[in-house]
Amino acid sequence: MNVTLLAGGVGGARLAHGLDLALGPAPALTVVVNVGDDTELHGLSISPDVDTVLYTLAGLNDEERGWGLRGESYATLTALADLGEDTWFTLGDRDLATHIVRTAGLRRGEPLSAVTAHLARQLGVRPRVLPVTDDRLATLVDTPAGTLGFQEYFVGRRHADAVLGVRFDGAASARPAPGVLDALAADVVVVAPSNPFLSIEPLLAVPGVREAFTGGPGLRVAVSPIVGGRAIKGPAAQILESLGHDVSALGVARIYADLVDVMVIDERDAELAGPVADLGLRVHVTDTVMGGPPGRERLARELLALA
Amino acid sequence: MNVTLLAGGVGGARLAHGLDLALGPAPALTVVVNVGDDTELHGLSISPDVDTVLYTLAGLNDEERGWGLRGESYATLTALADLGEDTWFTLGDRDLATHIVRTAGLRRGEPLSAVTAHLARQLGVRPRVLPVTDDRLATLVDTPAGTLGFQEYFVGRRHADAVLGVRFDGAASARPAPGVLDALAADVVVVAPSNPFLSIEPLLAVPGVREAFTGGPGLRVAVSPIVGGRAIKGPAAQILESLGHDVSALGVARIYADLVDVMVIDERDAELAGPVADLGLRVHVTDTVMGGPPGRERLARELLALA
């Protein structure tokens, strides 16, 4: 069974890990990852969502903190601060090696997808990890304080600003990275419990991706990132609210209604199963809060059993 | 009194430090530094001699090892190795911050001299540190094993190959960095006890530098890097020999005879004072082995007293 996951950062990475554990050694999983969060700092190209997926699949991620590598040190960042650099974005010493290698590859003219494949190979990552595009695509967030670059909104201002709109600069001329459209023809395509606006929308904004996804032959399954009216992590709840959506799994289901066949909602939201089904969606109710590897694998097995 | 020092790596850095201590707070010292050793590793622009001078003047250098920063860690380098990078060239975590800032500045189109001035300011370095040129100038070493890039010869193969010749790729079209020619009109211009072929020649190879140096109004003083027939550090002795020179302060004096007014040789080579004087040079005999800061300052004061 071929499986493709559309993923943002932490939620996507955890479900990717679960699917990898559930699928086993056969190379059956492709993870298509958001690049709208990508940024450049100190002249280095940073792809936070791609790295979170890579590090989690390699078992190197910091589970407690939710981002970055376990057991990091910060000697280079301290030295950068001593040299007068603005170090509001935390970069660990080991993490920096990834950015250095990525930047060198991109400067040599290699596409991001090739650099990502190289990093995945070196880290011993089994699934195929594909940035959705090799072209520039930058998520911009409209707020009462003006339009902010994604990392300025997310890290710099700790996603405290109300979100009035989300745009994807460069999306119109971006092309899907090699393999992305083919991957959307998998037997099962899962939308990770990632932020619908900040993680999934930028994937679908790349011309051809939405069509390949909705027109694909496989079963399309989305996992709600909202559980009991709250996001497991990040600002999804606030953004749903400020954009006028229901802050619930039902609100998420309405956003995905025309895109997927099955909506997976948490058992804490069981009472929403009826309203979600009324949208014309098949509903699967389960414990969607993954936590560690066993919970990830369990959820992944349930998703695969839907097909 | 304005003083300019022509410098390579360690010997140049130590004498620069001594001159800075001797001259005190007035901004009277310019250090013109070799860039023929510059290289690119992992996509980062490395200027080893410039950094040795900066770190030494900032009091941050590793005195024992002779290069790099004191108290370094190597987390990023270890991670680079884990990512399959070739890490034959040791780069510490704090040192990497310098290379990251330099590379970012160069990528933004800033000249190396401007980036160096920024780094010097951030490190609290008082003297003006000028790379001899902002243009590309790469030292190439002809050996029985073929032509080697400088760092391949020096670090990669631990300067074990016989040197048949030294060339400076790009020198013909390199221009002196802003301020270099003016600095050569200082009251005293000192040639550091650096490698004549690998550190000083590449400075003089930049069109206009040799003429400005020899035609300058100030006193020109060279300090022999050879003491008792041996180099304090590095392959100067082997190179003198393989290129057919006397492996002695006299051999060095012959190389510099047409360039300088005063030759400073070590007291262990006192018997060479006569032969050096016979070359038409004024000779100053003293303890030239600087060691720590007091020895550097003492030698610097003696040099300044020559003028």
Side-chain angles (χ1 to χ4, degrees), chain B residues 220-232:
Chain B
R220 292 181 299 279
V221 181
V223 182
S224 172
I226 299 290
V227 173
R230 305 173 68 165
I232 301 295

Side-chain angles (χ1 to χ4, degrees), chain A residues 37 67 88 141 143-144 148-163 195 198 231-239 242:
Chain A
D37 305 13
W67 54 270
W88 57 277
V141 183
T143 76
L148 306 175
F150 180 82
Q151 295 301 345
E152 187 187 358
Y153 157 75
F154 197 79
V155 179
R157 299 167 66 101
R158 295 157 192 263
H159 48 72
D161 299 87
V163 173
N195 190 305
L198 299 178
I232 301 295
K233 194 174 182 298
Q238 297 98 294
I239 298 179
S242 68

Side-chain angles (χ1 to χ4, degrees), chain A residues 41-44 72-73 75-85 92-98 100-101 104 107-108 118-119 122-123, chain B residues 41-44 72-73 75-85 92-98 100-101 104 107-108 118-119 122-123:
Chain A
L41 291 164
H42 317 293
L44 299 173
E72 268 286 21
S73 53
T76 303
L77 196 75
T78 304
L80 284 168
D82 290 347
L83 290 175
E85 295 285 298
D93 292 327
R94 291 188 62 83
D95 188 36
L96 272 164
T98 303
I100 289 170
V101 170
R107 297 275 184 203
R108 279 194 303 268
H118 169 72
L119 290 168
Q122 295 296 331
L123 291 168
Chain B
L41 291 163
H42 318 292
L44 299 173
E72 268 286 22
S73 54
T76 303
L77 196 76
T78 305
L80 284 168
D82 291 347
L83 291 175
E85 295 284 298
D93 292 326
R94 292 189 61 83
D95 189 34
L96 272 164
T98 304
I100 289 170
V101 170
R107 297 274 185 202
R108 279 194 303 268
H118 169 72
L119 290 168
Q122 295 296 332
L123 291 168

Side-chain angles (χ1 to χ4, degrees), chain B residues 235-262:
Chain B
Q238 298 98 292
I239 298 180
L240 278 165
E241 183 167 23
S242 69
L243 294 180
H245 297 275
D246 233 41
V247 186
S248 70
L250 178 60
V252 175
R254 285 198 188 109
I255 292 166
Y256 288 148
D258 294 336
L259 295 171
V260 301
D261 306 302
V262 186

Side-chain angles (χ1 to χ4, degrees), chain B residues 244-297:
Chain B
H245 297 275
D246 233 41
V247 186
S248 70
L250 178 60
V252 175
R254 285 198 188 109
I255 292 166
Y256 288 148
D258 294 336
L259 295 171
V260 301
D261 306 302
V262 186
M263 191 74 210
V264 178
I265 66 173
D266 194 83
E267 53 199 14
R268 275 150 278 198
D269 297 319
E271 80 281 4
L272 297 174
V276 171
D278 291 345
L279 298 170
L281 292 166
R282 193 173 143 196
V283 187
H284 180 74
V285 181
T286 185
D287 178 6
T288 63
V289 183
M290 289 176 274
R296 295 169 196 177
E297 184 174 352

Side-chain angles (χ1 to χ4, degrees), chain B residues 2-6 19 28-32 183-186 188-191:
Chain B
N2 285 313
V3 180
T4 293
L5 178 70
L6 302 183
L19 287 165
L29 176 62
T30 299
V31 188
V32 177
L184 295 170
V188 184
V189 183
V190 179
V191 179

